[in-house]
Amino acid sequence: MNILVTGGAGYIGSHTCVELLNACYDIVVVDNFDNSCMKAVDTIKRITGKDFPFYEVDLLDRENLEKVFIENKIDAVIHFAGLKAVGESTQIPLRYYHNNITGTLILMELMEKYDVNNIVFSSSATVYGMPKSVPITEDFPLSTTNPYGSTKLMLEQIMTDAAKANDKLSVTLLRYFNPIGAHKSGEMGEDPQGIPNNLLPYVAQVAVGKLEKVHVFGNDYPTPDGTGVRDYIHVVDLAIGHLKAIEVRANEPGVHIYNLGTGNGYSVLDIIKSFEKACGKEIPYVIDPRRPGDIAECWANPAKAKRELGWEATRGIEEMCEDSWRWQSTHPNGYNS
Ligand code: NAD
Ligand code: UD1
């Protein structure tokens, strides 16, 4: 099976490409390097010892994206490409809507034209908005609190409508919780531009000495230690979830929705402690006010993915922190180290 991976040079996409190649799928990768670089593509090739066609193309560039479909017989698409920074999306919402929505519309129009009827989409737990309780199941009410989240929810709706109108189309919406960790080799990991917004890359950069201390956003939440609780999932477990979605759901028309999380919640202080253990250093932190828009607790009930896809996360929090540290300590400046 030949799979088009959009955003395949990015954090989750690159790890998924490695797992796809290791499982002997053929892949074609498209990325515009808005938030990634060619070194990530070279690393995928080096880790797997396999070659594949890569196109530096923007999804908004219909003409050049069409060439990818003309030059390759595509069987399925895993669609990672998109802008993902919540804070930035509130400052430049139109760019987020244009990139994420228009880019996906062009992709799906070309899929229709070239009779490609399988798509797996990177959605997010952000579509649950402020969930009333945890753990979260797929049938919880949906809402959003920022333009980034709204692009995810709108795209879920667009893909659902497309599947209703095309009885051959299979859409799998994967709602990720909090991906962290890195490839075991230490050669591939998350490479955020500038100061990281998310907790794990921030902690990792404090550990390596690039940042001074972690700012813990609030310790007065109704959680065991007062800090926010999240469902952190190893990026390789997440990557494997995509393979399962393709194996089980490709060619099964309709809309299939799964939470990809571990079902366990860890607090900000739990993460700092686990990372200290992994790196063998103390990680300084201060307690700051809550970050606007944050919720106290968010973790998945991943039972549906286990039942229907035969998938479950197997890597624990220690392994997530150890793998992050291996990548961060050997690549303090990411792929430019
Ligand atoms: P990432 O930024 O590392 O990867 C996204 C890739 O898409 C980048 O390489 C970027 O250059 C590319 N891209 C963006 N717009 C493009 C366009 N118009 N044309 C071509 N390429 C384009 O992000 P990631 O963490 O790997 O996330 C992958 C997907 O998963 C995103 O859609 C993101 O919203 C979603 N997601 C991520 C998380 C997370 O915490 N990382 C959580 C939930 C959902
Ligand atoms: C963020 C996004 C969410 C996205 C998810 C996965 C926001 C508001 N939400 O969620 O849309 O789906 O990433 O990518 O950005 N924290 C600190 N200090 C820091 C950073 C974070 O204490 O420097 C805390 C947060 O308050 C939270 C936890 O760490 O309790 C995790 O934060 P983060 O990594 O940003 O992820 P989410 O907020 O879960």
Side-chain angles (χ1 to χ4, degrees), residues 37-262:
C37 62
M38 190 61 198
K39 282 191 185 149
V41 178
D42 295 337
T43 305
I44 300 168
K45 294 185 179 179
R46 199 172 62 249
I47 288 178
T48 60
K50 294 187 180 176
D51 201 4
F52 53 85
F54 173 78
Y55 294 82
E56 186 178 343
V57 169
D58 194 314
L59 295 190
L60 298 167
D61 177 355
R62 185 187 294 267
E63 204 176 306
N64 279 310
L65 190 59
E66 180 153 12
K67 281 194 195 144
V68 178
F69 284 85
I70 293 168
E71 290 172 12
N72 303 276
K73 169 78 190 83
I74 304 293
D75 301 301
V77 176
I78 304 183
H79 178 32
F80 295 103
L83 299 175
K84 64 162 185 177
V86 171
E88 187 183 63
S89 80
T90 63
Q91 285 149 13
I92 46 169
L94 300 184
R95 174 142 195 260
Y96 269 69
Y97 286 113
H98 187 51
N99 189 76
N100 293 5
I101 307 269
T102 313
T104 304
L105 289 175
I106 292 171
L107 175 70
M108 291 191 74
E109 283 164 7
L110 289 171
M111 286 175 63
E112 192 171 52
K113 182 164 175 188
Y114 291 90
D115 201 28
V116 180
N117 291 305
N118 288 303
I119 185 162
V120 175
F121 174 59
S122 300
S123 189
S124 166
T126 195
V127 300
Y128 296 114
M130 303 266 178
K132 284 204 184 67
S133 60
V134 277
I136 298 168
T137 50
E138 289 82 354
D139 55 2
F140 267 39
L142 305 179
S143 67
T144 59
T145 55
N146 56 73
Y148 162 71
S150 299
T151 69
K152 292 294 173 196
L153 190 51
M154 286 176 190
L155 286 169
E156 287 202 358
Q157 185 63 56
I158 288 168
M159 290 184 185
T160 302
D161 288 341
K164 278 186 199 150
N166 174 357
D167 58 14
K168 288 192 292 180
L169 185 62
S170 166
V171 168
T172 304
L173 307 174
L174 300 180
R175 295 180 180 151
Y176 311 156
F177 281 68
N178 290 56
I180 63 169
H183 191 261
K184 250 321 151 233
S185 63
E187 294 298 313
M188 179 179 277
E190 189 169 10
D191 185 12
Q193 314 295 306
I195 296 180
N197 300 306
N198 296 115
L199 178 64
L200 219 288
Y202 202 104
V203 170
Q205 293 199 9
V206 171
V208 84
K210 282 183 75 182
L211 294 168
E212 195 194 334
K213 55 183 179 252
V214 179
H215 295 263
V216 176
F217 298 146
N219 67 349
D220 57 352
Y221 285 105
T223 60
D225 66 19
T227 66
V229 171
R230 296 292 184 274
D231 187 338
Y232 296 94
I233 174 170
H234 197 296
V235 65
V236 173
D237 277 327
L238 190 65
I240 293 168
H242 294 74
L243 270 69
K244 291 288 180 190
I246 291 276
E247 265 171 48
V248 178
R249 289 309 201 181
N251 303 317
E252 200 176 309
V255 180
H256 318 290
I257 306 177
Y258 299 101
N259 285 340
L260 295 187
T262 65

